[in-house]
Amino acid sequence: MDNANKLDDFDVNILKILDRDGRIAYSSIALELGVSNTMVHQRINRLTEQGILEAVRPVLNERALGYDWGAYTGLSLEKDGDSKRVIEELKKIPEVTECYYITGNYTLYIKILAKNHEHMRQLLYEQIDNIPGIAKTDSMIELGCAFKRNVIL
């Protein structure tokens, strides 16, 4: 049985409240749900231990931080076996914020943030293209996020 099947209504409601405001006090959650602080604390600990709740962290406004350019880039590798080494090199580039294994024409798919077009060019051509094992990159410039959310419970 997977972890999602172990969620009851209290767990789902706690996750929805945390999704709305990750900084909310446990006492506020308890008050909203009509349960004790202890129950909320125990449930959040259990959700974390089960790996359902990975972290509660801020959502940064990338544009407000000066990152006006985004790109989604497919990476073709010389050998798929190079993926672990390539991923370790990508982790060293702070502007690479996401990396996925995918099927199809590419082995990996990454999201890159840049301050301007010159910064994006430098990231793509001087850093990412120079990682040994990358055969080809194919980028699509992101024009803005229509929405971004967690899965709906």
Side-chain angles (χ1 to χ4, degrees):
M1 180 188 321
D2 64 31
N3 286 333
N5 292 332
K6 297 177 187 177
L7 297 177
D8 64 15
D9 289 342
F10 284 113
D11 294 329
V12 170
N13 287 328
I14 288 169
L15 291 171
K16 285 180 179 179
I17 292 167
L18 288 173
D19 189 43
R20 189 175 67 223
D21 179 2
R23 297 182 308 166
I24 191 169
Y26 289 179
S27 59
S28 296
I29 297 172
L31 183 65
E32 185 173 333
L33 297 179
V35 298
S36 70
N37 290 355
T38 302
M39 180 181 174
V40 171
H41 192 271
Q42 289 171 339
R43 293 294 183 110
I44 290 174
N45 283 344
R46 184 172 50 81
L47 291 166
T48 303
E49 289 168 6
Q50 291 176 331
I52 293 169
L53 182 61
E54 290 185 343
V56 179
R57 59 178 78 120
V59 177
L60 303 178
N61 181 332
E62 297 153 351
R63 299 245 190 284
L65 293 170
Y67 289 88
D68 290 329
W69 280 65
Y72 291 93
T73 301
L75 304 178
S76 299
L77 303 185
E78 291 169 1
K79 296 184 293 185
D80 286 345
D82 290 339
S83 63
K84 286 184 182 180
R85 186 180 45 71
V86 169
I87 289 167
E88 289 307 311
E89 290 301 312
L90 290 168
K91 285 179 181 179
K92 295 176 185 176
I93 304 170
E95 295 89 349
V96 176
T97 59
E98 299 176 40
C99 180
Y100 300 93
Y101 294 104
I102 61 168
T103 62
N105 294 330
Y106 310 108
T107 305
L108 300 171
Y109 209 66
I110 61 174
K111 181 174 182 186
I112 308 165
L113 295 175
K115 294 189 178 230
N116 53 47
H117 74 278
E118 180 58 26
H119 186 203
M120 182 65 74
R121 186 206 59 74
Q122 185 271 332
L123 289 165
L124 285 168
Y125 296 146
E126 295 176 23
Q127 290 190 52
I128 294 167
D129 280 350
N130 286 324
I131 294 174
I134 293 181
K136 180 183 175 208
T137 62
D138 186 14
S139 296
M140 293 179 285
I141 298 300
E142 175 244 316
L143 299 175
C145 181
F147 69 89
K148 186 176 182 178
R149 64 179 175 208
N150 287 316
V151 67
I152 298 172
L153 300 174

